[in-house]
Amino acid sequence: MSGLWYFYSVISTVGFGDIVAVTLIGKILSVLLTMYSIIVIAIITGVVVNFYTEINKFQRKETLAVFMDKLERLPELLVEEQEEISGKIKDLR
């Protein structure tokens, strides 16, 4: 059992401090609390990254929609707007 506790202490970097779990119940609670904390942090990180990714997807779709709208109205656009679109297309190549 102490081998598992040392393995847990090394992997989680918990258990080598001034206050350490000595009893079996204390060690089990320490393991459960650490695992819970890791899962909560992973979920929060995942939610933030997913939110950022969705915002980027939305912005790309919106930018593409505006660009496609301008392309559909190409004959109606001013010369400056046509040159702007031409420059964007050259930058994409």
Side-chain angles (χ1 to χ4, degrees):
M1 187 66 179
S2 65
L4 288 175
W5 176 251
Y6 288 126
F7 171 76
Y8 159 76
S9 298
V10 170
I11 294 297
S12 66
T13 67
V14 174
F16 288 133
D18 294 335
I19 300 172
V20 295
V22 179
T23 64
L24 179 62
I25 293 174
K27 290 179 181 181
I28 291 172
L29 288 176
S30 178
V31 170
L32 292 176
L33 183 62
T34 303
M35 293 303 163
Y36 176 76
S37 300
I38 291 171
I39 290 170
V40 167
I41 290 172
I43 289 172
I44 291 171
T45 304
V47 167
V48 169
V49 169
N50 186 38
F51 180 73
Y52 177 74
T53 304
E54 291 299 318
I55 287 175
N56 276 346
K57 284 181 186 178
F58 178 74
Q59 287 175 344
R60 276 193 231 136
K61 286 181 183 179
E62 186 176 283
T63 304
L64 183 60
V66 169
F67 185 71
M68 293 301 291
D69 183 52
K70 285 184 178 180
L71 282 179
E72 289 173 359
R73 298 182 302 111
L74 195 59
E76 303 168 5
L77 296 177
L78 299 174
V79 175
E80 294 84 15
E81 291 175 321
Q82 290 177 0
E83 289 175 359
E84 178 187 342
I85 291 175
S86 176
K88 286 183 181 179
I89 291 173
K90 287 178 184 176
D91 288 343
L92 291 174
R93 288 186 180 182

